[in-house]
Amino acid sequence: MERWTYKTVKYKTGGFMGGKIKEEEFEELLNNAGYEGWELVSCFDTSIYQGQSKDIVAVFKRRV
């Protein structure tokens, strides 16, 4: 039976109303998790107003 551990990372967006993503910074966050053996299983945003994103949440898993 496979066993997994999970990790959730919250990435704050920038800008006056949010929604601005520093792509290189976000990619580095994902790559660093991958180098540590984490696999991305889900990624979603949290809305605040008229489609603007406050945070991006990335969920990772890896085998125990």
Side-chain angles (χ1 to χ4, degrees):
M1 173 197 219
E2 288 186 286
R3 300 181 116 195
W4 304 93
T5 186
Y6 294 89
K7 172 181 178 173
T8 303
V9 176
K10 191 183 294 185
Y11 176 80
K12 298 269 186 205
T13 61
F16 176 67
M17 291 294 292
K20 302 285 185 194
I21 300 170
K22 295 179 182 174
E23 292 178 29
E24 296 82 18
E25 186 177 283
F26 185 62
E27 187 174 298
E28 183 177 346
L29 180 148
L30 297 175
N31 283 329
N32 286 340
Y35 293 139
E36 294 174 2
W38 294 99
E39 177 184 356
L40 181 67
V41 293
S42 183
C43 191
F44 57 91
D45 69 328
T46 58
S47 294
I48 55 171
Y49 179 71
Q50 294 185 352
Q52 295 290 334
S53 299
K54 180 178 180 183
D55 301 310
I56 296 173
V57 179
V59 181
F60 299 89
K61 73 176 185 179
R62 73 176 170 190
R63 228 176 243 112
V64 176

